[in-house]
């Protein structure tokens, strides 16, 4: 019998009765019919997926960027250009003036601090046609202090075949600055000797490609992997039929339509396909110049005990002035003094369990307060001991 501490409405009583009826029905069904077995495998909704668009995994052969480079002059600088020590800068100014009918006196160099010799670099995007604009980067070649406020004169940009493919010119946009006083004090923010010119170059010659003439389209894997190459072939053949083949883990060859318009649409469909990338070897990347350590996900270590101590040697240099006695006809002498101290930190031993993942490694290292140099030393020692299930890369 159901009792209420206060009067209940008729709707609430009816709903309780319905729930009781459904519970009795479910109980009777469970006793009459055998229980259904649960599936043995469970879906991990939090597991990361390796499926991604094909454009992230491959590049199309014949559709790539090409570097361009050129030598030029930046003028209009407010006294921050090259000094007279940079001979090629003054020689470039003399040669430029000759092209305009101005001849310098024999044996005299152009002395102009408003000019800086620069190198101009750019990237020729794939498929660009004559007349299209590209961005360029301008970098000082001499001892100019700043390119702020300068203008790049007409400069030819050449490729590896020494042919001119673009012409560059425009006002340089510099993100840094430099200022100095007469006392020698100075301040520098970012890099004032380099800048960019958006849309500063015009394409004058096109780069030929065999993309539209070859019977096949060659896909180059950005990270060679046999598993990834197999997945790409299977995904393409499943959608378009047996048109894709591979001979190694680096490239995939796909038979494409001969009509240029159909070929472009076909490649667009290929790039939009979702393909599961193969598992790659986990890596630990060290940058010895900056002290950066990058550990990729999936890295594991075998069971190991590690102790690491720090040894610090401090050398302090100072000078002592020795004054001669009065009326001794002696001379004041400065004698160097050195103080050397050796400090050895107390090494702590810690243990990594077998199969420890990235988060476990990070937690242990952070708890010790280890520096990047200490991390590099520890992981290099673990690699030599064969306790790292991955690859160690030093750049």
């Amino acid at each position: 019998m159901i009792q209420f501490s206060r009067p209940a409405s008729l709707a609430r009583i009816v709903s309780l009765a319905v729930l009781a009826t459904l519970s009795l029905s479910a109980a009777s069904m469970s006793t009459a019919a055998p229980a259904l077995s649960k599936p043995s495998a469970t879906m991990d909704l939090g597991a990361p997926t390796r499926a991604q668009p094909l454009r992230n995994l491959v590049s199309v052969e014949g559709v790539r960027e090409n570097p361009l480079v050129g030598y030029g002059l930046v003028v209009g600088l407010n006294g921050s250009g090259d000094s007279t020590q940079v001979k090629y800068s003054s020689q470039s100014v003399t040669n430029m003036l000759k092209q305009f009918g101005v001849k310098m006196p024999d044996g005299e160099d152009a002395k102009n601090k408003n000019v800086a010799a620069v190198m101009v670099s750019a990237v020729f995007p794939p498929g660009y046609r004559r007349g299209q604009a590209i961005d360029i980067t301008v970098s000082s070649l001499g001892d100019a202090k700043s390119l702020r406020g300068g203008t790049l004169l007409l400069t030819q940009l050449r490729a590896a075949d020494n042919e001119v493919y673009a012409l560059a010119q425009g006002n340089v946009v510099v993100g840094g600055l430099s200022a100095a006083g007469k006392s020698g004090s100075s301040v520098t923010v970012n890099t004032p000797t380099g800048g960019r010119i958006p849309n500063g170059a015009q394409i004058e010659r096109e780069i030929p490609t065999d993309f539209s003439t070859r019977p096949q389209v060659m896909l180059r894997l950005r990270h060679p992997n046999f598993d990834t190459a197999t997945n790409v072939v299977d995904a393409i053949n499943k959608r378009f039929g047996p048109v894709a083949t591979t001979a190694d883990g680096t490239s995939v060859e796909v038979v494409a339509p001969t009509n240029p318009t159909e070929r472009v649409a076909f490649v667009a469909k290929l790039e939009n396909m979702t393909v599961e990338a193969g598992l790659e070897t986990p890596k630990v990347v060290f940058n010895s110049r900056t002290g950066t350590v990058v550990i990729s996900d999936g890295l594991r270590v075998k069971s190991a005990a590690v102790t690491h101590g720090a040894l610090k040697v401090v050398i302090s240099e100072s000078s002592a002035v020795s004054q001669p006695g009065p009326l001794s006809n002696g001379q004041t002498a400065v004698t160097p003094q050195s103080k050397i101290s050796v400090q050895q930190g107390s090494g702590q031993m810690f243990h990594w369990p077998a199969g420890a993942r990235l988060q476990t490694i990070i937690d242990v290292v952070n708890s010790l307060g280890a520096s990047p140099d200490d991390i590099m030393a520890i992981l290099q020692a673990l690699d030599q001991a064969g306790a790292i299930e991955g690859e160690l890369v030093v750049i």
Side-chain angles (χ1 to χ4, degrees):
M1 180 177 181
I2 302 176
Q3 295 181 351
F4 297 95
S5 59
R6 58 183 180 180
S9 62
L10 179 61
R12 181 173 179 85
I13 296 175
V14 172
S15 62
L16 290 174
V18 172
L19 290 175
T21 305
L22 292 177
S23 301
L24 291 175
S25 300
S28 61
M29 291 177 63
S30 61
T31 55
L36 296 177
S37 60
K38 296 183 179 180
S40 57
T42 60
M43 180 180 297
D44 186 5
L45 298 178
T49 177
R50 301 193 305 272
Q52 51 186 305
L54 186 59
R55 68 169 66 92
N56 297 341
L57 300 176
V58 302
S59 61
V60 181
E61 184 177 304
V63 183
R64 66 179 182 89
E65 298 176 341
N66 290 273
L68 302 177
V69 67
Y71 171 81
L73 293 174
V74 171
V75 299
L77 303 175
N78 187 17
S80 60
D82 294 332
S83 65
T84 56
Q85 302 296 328
V86 184
K87 299 300 182 181
Y88 52 83
S89 179
S90 58
Q91 183 180 358
S92 300
V93 173
T94 303
N95 295 338
M96 180 193 65
L97 294 177
K98 285 182 181 179
Q99 298 178 4
F100 291 96
V102 180
K103 184 178 180 181
M104 296 286 295
D106 295 338
E108 184 174 344
D109 295 333
K111 299 178 181 179
N112 196 340
K113 294 184 178 181
N114 297 339
V115 181
V118 296
M119 295 301 296
V120 183
S121 59
V123 173
F124 195 119
Y128 264 44
R129 302 297 181 183
R130 185 177 302 175
Q132 290 185 272
I134 58 176
D135 299 340
I136 61 175
T137 301
V138 182
S139 305
S140 174
L141 188 60
D143 57 359
K145 297 179 178 62
S146 176
L147 298 181
R148 179 178 290 273
T151 300
L152 176 68
L153 297 182
L154 190 63
T155 303
Q156 298 177 346
L157 299 182
R158 302 174 182 270
D161 57 359
N162 204 29
E163 296 290 341
V164 178
Y165 287 90
L167 297 177
Q169 183 173 274
N171 297 326
V172 183
V173 179
V174 179
L177 60 89
S178 176
K182 294 183 179 180
S183 62
S185 59
S186 62
V187 60
T188 301
V189 179
N190 295 333
T191 306
T193 55
R196 289 179 62 83
I197 304 180
N199 297 329
Q202 300 289 331
I203 301 298
E204 298 295 335
R205 177 180 296 181
E206 301 172 6
I207 296 180
T209 177
D210 59 351
F211 170 74
S212 59
T213 58
R214 294 181 56 181
Q216 298 90 9
V217 172
M218 188 68 69
L219 306 178
R220 302 290 185 184
L221 270 67
R222 302 184 189 276
H223 301 283
N225 185 288
F226 288 99
D227 194 10
T228 304
T230 303
N231 294 341
V232 171
V233 171
D234 293 342
I236 295 176
N237 290 339
K238 183 178 180 180
R239 179 172 178 180
F240 299 102
V243 295
T245 58
T246 180
D248 49 35
T250 305
S251 60
V252 175
E253 192 176 85
V254 184
V255 178
T258 56
N259 183 276
T261 303
E262 296 178 357
R263 175 172 293 227
V264 171
F266 177 73
V267 174
K269 294 178 181 179
L270 289 180
E271 291 184 338
N272 292 328
M273 291 180 57
T274 302
V275 179
E276 185 175 356
L279 289 174
E280 296 186 3
T281 303
K283 295 181 180 180
V284 180
V285 181
F286 295 152
N287 190 328
S288 57
R289 296 182 296 275
T290 62
T292 304
V293 181
V294 178
I295 305 176
S296 64
D297 190 17
L299 182 76
R300 297 185 180 184
V301 295
K302 299 178 182 177
S303 180
V306 179
T307 179
H308 181 72
L311 182 66
K312 182 186 295 184
V313 179
V314 179
I315 302 177
S316 301
E317 295 285 349
S318 61
S319 299
V321 180
S322 176
Q323 296 286 355
L327 304 177
S328 63
N329 296 327
Q331 296 181 352
T332 301
V334 179
T335 58
Q337 294 184 350
S338 300
K339 181 180 180 181
I340 302 176
S341 62
V342 180
Q343 301 175 1
Q344 185 173 4
S346 58
Q348 299 180 3
M349 177 171 287
F350 54 92
H351 175 259
W352 270 318
R357 293 181 175 271
L358 175 61
Q359 189 60 46
T360 305
I361 299 174
I362 294 175
D363 293 340
V364 173
V365 171
N366 289 339
S367 64
L368 296 175
S371 65
D373 292 336
D374 296 332
I375 298 174
M376 284 191 282
I378 292 171
L379 293 179
Q380 285 177 349
L382 286 173
D383 182 65
Q384 292 295 324
I388 290 184
E389 298 179 357
E391 182 181 358
L392 203 64
V393 180
V394 180
I395 61 176

